[in-house]
């Protein structure tokens, strides 16, 4: 008994060091980040104007594809390629802390990529195309040689396209079983463009660290004040176009609702994002306040627009 005990202990600890704990894997995949693409996916589902009855399993599968698979994969590959920086700045994260040991971060990203494509293949050609584009952008965002995240203009565009436009397109494509109506694609593209501004605000939380590490986010390149003004314009202009389109399609009520949401955003932009002194002193706090208020109104406008085009398409069916 005494000789067996020492021999089993090393094997147990070696196993623990070799394989990641499930809780650490879940932390690596960051469930809190899944909400934006899942919301956009549901906007796509609603915008198709097709009844949910008999399609609940398909919708659930699409939600899994948008959030727990594609978005989660992007988080894993991002943490893998940031592991050396995280070892200095955030050593408690799953990979630098050793809770996801060895190359498991890379393995998980690879497996999730394959699982995403496998699930997408069940929904037809256009869902596979959208998923493939999203996966390519996710890898290009984090991985060399492109590593789009090192320049805010490109990196923010990649994230905005994945989180908003492609997720919206996927939801509609799953519902219609093919290429969505051109008006759905236009709305998805417009809200995707506006999301570039949201991504710029997200970069306010790490201006100092990004500057030290040479990550050229938009706030680092042009300063917090100019970046806030730019983000405001980028978020507002696509919504103005959306309002015009909704009016041209005879959706006056939906256009009025989106207009009201935009006016509330403009008030919040003036209150927070145009405050040069506070932006200089507390950029992280100001961006967080706006993201909790103005960005919420933005995504509500997405849903209103989705209901509008959905009602139009269902009425014309």
């Amino acid at each position: 008994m005494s000789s067996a005990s020492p021999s089993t202990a090393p094997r147990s600890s070696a196993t623990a060091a070799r394989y990641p704990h499930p809780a650490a894997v879940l932390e690596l995949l960051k469930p809190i980040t899944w909400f934006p693409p899942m919301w956009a996916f549901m906007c796509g589902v609603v915008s198709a104007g097709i009844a949910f009855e008999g399609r609940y399993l398909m919708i659930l599968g699409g939600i899994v594809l948008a959030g727990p698979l594609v978005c989660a994969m992007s988080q894993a590959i991002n943490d893998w390629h940031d592991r050396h920086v995280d070892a200095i700045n955030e050593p408690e994260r799953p990979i630098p802390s050793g809770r996801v040991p060895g190359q498991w971060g890379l393995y998980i990203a690879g497996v999730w990529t394959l699982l995403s494509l496998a699930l997408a293949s069940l929904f037809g050609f256009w869902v596979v195309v959208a998923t493939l584009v999203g996966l390519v952008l996710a890898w290009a965002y984090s991985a060399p040689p492109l590593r789009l995240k090192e320049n805010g203009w490109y990196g923010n565009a990649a994230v905005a396209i994945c989180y908003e436009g492609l997720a919206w397109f996927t939801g509609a494509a799953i519902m219609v079983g093919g290429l969505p109506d051109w008006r759905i694609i236009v709305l998805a593209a417009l809200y995707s463009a506006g999301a570039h501004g949201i991504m710029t605000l997200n970069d306010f939380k790490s201006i100092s660290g990004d500057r030290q590490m040479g990550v050229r986010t938009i706030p680092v390149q042009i300063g917090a004040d100019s970046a806030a003004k730019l983000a405001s314009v980028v978020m507002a202009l696509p919504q103005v176009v959306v309002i015009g389109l909704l009016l041209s399609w005879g959706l006056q009520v939906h256009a009025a609702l989106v207009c009201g949401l935009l006016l509330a955003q403009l008030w919040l932009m003036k209150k927070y994002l145009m405050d040069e002194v506070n932006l200089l002193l507390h950029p992280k706090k100001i961006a967080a306040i706006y993201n909790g208020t103005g960005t919420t109104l933005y995504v509500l406008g997405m849903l209103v627009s989705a209901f509008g085009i959905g009602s139009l398409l269902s009425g014309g069916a």
Side-chain angles (χ1 to χ4, degrees), residues 172-217:
I174 284 177
M175 293 300 286
V176 304
L179 184 66
D181 186 276
W182 68 270
R183 288 164 289 193
I184 295 176
I185 297 175
V186 169
L187 285 180
L190 285 168
Y191 277 108
S192 188
H196 192 286
I198 298 175
M199 298 304 114
T200 297
L201 294 182
N202 286 340
D203 288 333
F204 276 54
K205 65 181 181 292
S206 56
I207 294 176
S208 298
D210 288 337
R211 187 176 288 118
Q212 292 174 21
M213 300 305 301
V215 179
R216 301 178 68 244
T217 64

Side-chain angles (χ1 to χ4, degrees), residues 243 254-266 297:
I243 293 167
H254 298 86
L257 289 172
V258 175
C259 184
L261 291 167
L262 176 58
L263 289 174
Q265 291 171 65
L266 293 174
L297 298 175

Side-chain angles (χ1 to χ4, degrees), residues 88-165:
I88 299 171
N89 297 327
E90 298 179 88
E92 74 283 357
R93 283 195 170 191
I95 293 177
S97 69
R99 290 178 293 126
V100 176
Q103 293 190 306
W104 271 100
L106 182 61
Y107 299 155
I108 290 168
V111 170
W112 254 243
T113 297
L114 296 176
L115 288 174
S116 299
L117 289 172
L119 181 56
S121 68
L122 301 179
F123 297 120
F125 174 76
W126 287 108
V127 175
V128 172
V129 170
T131 301
L132 186 59
V133 172
L135 293 170
V136 169
L137 286 175
W139 281 82
Y141 176 82
S142 301
L146 294 179
R147 200 159 164 76
L148 299 176
K149 68 179 295 179
E150 293 187 347
N151 187 303
W153 300 102
Y154 309 131
N156 290 357
V159 176
I161 291 169
C162 290
Y163 275 37
E164 306 295 346

Side-chain angles (χ1 to χ4, degrees), residues 24-69:
V25 174
L26 185 62
E27 184 181 343
L28 176 71
L29 300 177
K30 298 184 182 67
I32 195 172
T33 66
W34 303 348
F35 176 75
M38 291 192 298
W39 179 274
F41 173 85
M42 286 307 300
C43 287
V45 168
V46 170
S47 70
I50 297 173
F52 288 11
E53 284 76 15
R55 294 180 171 85
Y56 293 113
L57 190 59
M58 294 169 55
I59 294 171
L60 178 60
I63 291 173
V64 172
L65 178 63
L69 285 180

